Amino acid sequence: MRSFVALWPSPEVVETLDRAVRHARRRVPEAKWTRREEWHLTLLFLGEVDGALMPGLIDALDHILDGYPPLDLSLDGWGVFPLSAPRASVVWSGVTGERLIGLVDELREAARSAGVRAESRPFVPHLTLARARPPLVTERILRALGPPPRAGWRSARIDLVESRRVGESRYRAVRSWETFVR
């Protein structure tokens, strides 16, 4: 099962971000813009997880996420992948938040302890807005986006998500952990 651990922006943040990218969608129609209901912050990408490892993975994540306190997060400007490149394949809105990097480190360790391969590349917290094949001129798309919005939210839950390649309901939560103040 193709999986990742994620959290979702609040409806208010989604609305704010949607207003900000609406103009760019019209000005850069060749980009494949992601649907607003798919915007999420991937905390840990797991890729294909063997079904036999899933119970151990869930137990390891339970140990970290059961009763985990909420994260205070905010949008943090526009960005692209590859980073600082003249042409962009992915366009995103950055996300910042205290304790975010520490949580990602804990999730990576939990996955590895369950025998699941966890990516080790540097974590760049973001919400993917668009993909482009072939890549687009970075300056053009960032100019089309205009000034980045400022908005924040408090996480309500963290999900282990199954990613399906096709279909209307592309993402399905396999397990959810509510965040709450201790």
Side-chain angles (χ1 to χ4, degrees):
M1 168 186 334
R2 189 172 168 87
S3 304
F4 59 93
V5 178
L7 55 83
W8 308 85
S10 70
E12 296 80 15
V13 168
V14 168
E15 186 58 39
T16 298
L17 191 55
D18 190 52
R19 280 193 307 271
V21 301
R22 200 171 290 150
H23 178 71
R25 282 187 173 122
R26 291 190 303 269
R27 291 190 62 198
V28 189
E30 65 273 27
K32 183 177 172 32
W33 294 91
T34 56
R35 298 178 327 163
R36 60 187 268 160
E37 51 275 356
E38 293 178 354
W39 290 340
H40 64 275
L41 172 59
T42 299
L43 299 170
L44 181 62
F45 180 73
L46 299 165
E48 291 295 329
V49 176
D50 183 328
L53 296 176
M54 194 57 75
L57 174 63
I58 290 172
D59 285 346
L61 294 175
D62 275 343
H63 183 72
I64 302 296
L65 296 173
D66 221 13
Y68 199 85
L71 298 167
D72 290 317
L73 305 164
S74 60
L75 298 178
D76 189 30
W78 306 126
V80 297
F81 292 130
L83 295 171
S84 305
R87 299 185 75 76
S89 297
V90 177
V91 180
W92 45 264
S93 174
V95 176
T96 188
E98 195 176 313
R99 298 187 345 265
L100 196 52
I101 303 300
L103 173 59
V104 169
D105 290 342
E106 288 182 72
L107 294 172
R108 284 178 176 169
E109 186 54 40
R112 289 179 186 130
S113 74
V116 176
R117 185 185 61 80
E119 67 181 3
S120 58
R121 65 181 165 181
F123 177 62
V124 178
H126 68 280
L127 307 172
T128 299
L129 302 175
R131 291 183 172 78
R133 304 284 185 270
L136 299 169
V137 173
T138 299
E139 184 181 320
R140 175 178 172 238
I141 196 149
L142 293 178
R143 191 173 44 247
L145 283 165
R150 297 285 177 211
W153 77 99
R154 179 168 270 194
S155 65
R157 73 176 202 273
I158 298 172
D159 294 332
L160 174 60
V161 180
E162 173 189 9
S163 175
R164 303 171 189 181
R165 298 188 192 278
V166 293
E168 190 66 27
S169 187
R170 188 169 164 208
Y171 301 132
R172 180 182 74 86
V174 173
R175 173 83 163 88
S176 297
W177 294 268
E178 302 296 321
T179 58
F180 63 90
V181 178
R182 294 176 194 208

